[in-house]
Each structure stands twice: as structure tokens, then as C-alpha cells.
Amino acid sequence: KAGVTQTPRYLIKTRGQQVTLSCSPISGHRSVSWYQQTPGQGLQFLFEYFSETQRNKGNFPGRFSGRQFSNSRSEMNVSTLELGDSALYLCASSLDSAYNEQFFGPGTRLTVL
Amino acid sequence: GDSVTQMEGPVTLSEEAFLTINCTYTATGYPSLFWYVQYPGEGLQLLLKATKADDKGSNKGFEATYRKETTSFHLEKGSVQVSDSAVYFCALSALNTGNQFYFGTGTSLTVIP
């Protein structure tokens, strides 16, 4: 079974630009979550999508948005990039149950110059 | 709200030493508990999990027991190896919070030969 895939793996953008990151979950997984990981703040939850609906949301500004498609693939978008948005963005998928673990992708490393 | 508190790092141990990484949690419901490991440049991988009180999760020589009375899920390994050097994250997930995962801040472990 293929794991969670994220594209692209690396991105370099400049302040003010926008970026879209993509995540393909494990086949059969309908829940997709996004996290931002930085050395200073650790792992922070962005949002979770289930069956194309945002089910949970973290404490991030509206510049961060996401969506999920009918095939469970998900995208997240960051508009008007700031230097502080430089981070590793991780996507995780899971079956819809508290007993089931999340499976993580390798992440997208975003650098904002 | 639900949360996880993890032992601060970094932790440095000699090969074959005993490892304990403390994790305590706060949850209003009956969460499932997880330990994840992150190797440099990679996403998070599930190390072990426990879904109810007194369950013991184990994998690759690591163990953790779900202690409801002390709200703890401490990670232990009897004899660490250099290859165990990584960052370890404790996490919980609960049905009453829509299966959202809550992660600790991570504990960096370095094992020296």
C-alpha cells in the first residue's frame, strides 16, 4: 500500500507570494490533517478535513486555507507569505476513528525569502 | 481542552543506557495514546500506541503503558542504540474531540557510542 505523498518536497518563495501544497492520503483514508513544524513552535495543528469538509481547525490566520477533493486528496494554500511561514508542512491521513493512528507524509519544506 | 505534556529535551545517552521519556496528558474523554518518532529529514512514524487504560504498546524494544490513574504514557527502552537518535512525540486522540490529534512538543534524543 502506498504511503502518504506530498508534493512538492521543497519550495522557495518570496514574501507576499502565495503557495499551494498537495497531499495524497493512503488509499481508503478519508481524514487528512495538516501540521506546521518549526524549531521554535514545534508541531502545530492547522486543520483537518474529512469527506471534503473541514472538521477541525487550529489557531492560524485566515491566510492559511485548505480543501479536500472527492478522492480525499487535499491541498493547503498560504496567501501573502511572510518570513515566519518558513517551515516543514506535514500532512497526515487516517481512518476515521480515535483508535487509528495518523500516517504522515515526508513533508514539504517551505522557505520564504 | 485536551493536551499532552512531554519531558523537555534534549536527552543525551550512551549506547546501551536505559531510556525514559515522560509524557502526561489531559483529556475530558477516553483518549487513545501514541508515540511517534521523527528521524532527521523525515515525517513522523508511529512507534507504538495504546487505546485503553492498562494497555501496553510495544515496538522495536520500546514500551509504554497507558496509566489512567496517573494520566501518563511514559516511553521506555532498556538499551538504546545509536540508531534510536531521533525526536520522539507523544500524542493523544479522542472521539469527543472529533478524533483530532494533540501532540507534545517533542523530545530530542541523541545516543552516543
Side-chain angles (χ1 to χ4, degrees):
Chain A
K1 210 176 207 183
V4 178
T5 57
Q6 291 188 246
T7 56
R9 291 293 310 278
Y10 302 91
L11 262 180
I12 299 176
K13 293 285 187 179
T14 56
R15 275 183 301 174
Q17 286 187 307
Q18 75 163 21
V19 68
T20 299
L21 311 181
S22 181
C23 171
S24 292
I26 290 172
S27 178
H29 287 191
R30 294 162 67 193
S31 170
V32 174
S33 298
W34 288 91
Y35 297 87
Q36 181 195 65
Q37 187 176 30
T38 60
Q41 298 295 319
L43 198 62
Q44 293 189 283
F45 172 72
L46 281 155
F47 30 66
E48 184 226 357
Y49 284 86
F50 178 79
S51 290
E52 303 179 64
T53 301
Q54 187 180 87
R55 187 162 64 173
N56 291 300
K57 189 177 189 306
N59 190 26
F60 276 79
R63 300 185 297 108
F64 292 82
S65 63
R67 59 178 176 168
Q68 186 180 33
F69 302 94
S70 58
N71 61 359
S72 294
R73 190 176 71 84
S74 178
E75 289 181 346
M76 70 161 279
N77 184 276
V78 188
S79 62
T80 320
L81 284 166
E82 300 177 0
L83 294 179
D85 296 334
S86 295
L88 181 67
Y89 290 88
L90 292 164
C91 166
S93 74
S94 70
L95 295 169
D96 185 34
S97 164
Y99 307 113
N100 294 110
E101 61 270 32
Q102 291 191 337
F103 293 83
F104 282 80
T108 294
R109 173 74 63 184
L110 172 65
T111 302
V112 182
L113 302 175
Chain B
D2 292 8
S3 66
V4 173
T5 302
Q6 241 181 282
M7 183 172 115
E8 292 282 338
V11 174
T12 302
L13 294 173
S14 297
E15 208 165 20
E16 299 183 4
F18 184 85
L19 169 71
T20 299
I21 300 178
N22 290 338
C23 171
T24 57
Y25 68 89
T26 301
T28 52
Y30 299 94
S32 295
L33 301 173
F34 307 83
W35 276 102
Y36 281 83
V37 59
Q38 185 178 33
Y39 298 101
E42 299 182 11
L44 278 67
Q45 301 173 26
L46 178 72
L47 183 58
L48 52 84
K49 71 176 185 182
T51 58
K52 62 183 188 297
D54 299 325
D55 267 2
K56 178 187 278 189
S58 61
N59 185 28
K60 300 181 182 178
F62 290 90
E63 292 183 339
T65 301
Y66 187 163
R67 302 279 188 206
K68 190 164 178 281
E69 64 276 14
T70 54
T71 62
S72 65
F73 193 54
H74 305 320
L75 182 68
E76 296 182 336
K77 187 174 185 184
S79 175
V80 293
Q81 305 300 313
V82 172
S83 57
D84 294 326
S85 298
V87 180
Y88 292 82
F89 292 89
C90 185
L92 70 80
S93 171
L95 281 169
N96 65 316
T97 53
N99 300 336
Q100 181 176 336
F101 269 65
Y102 296 87
F103 283 86
T105 52
T107 302
S108 175
L109 169 67
T110 300
V111 180
I112 53 178

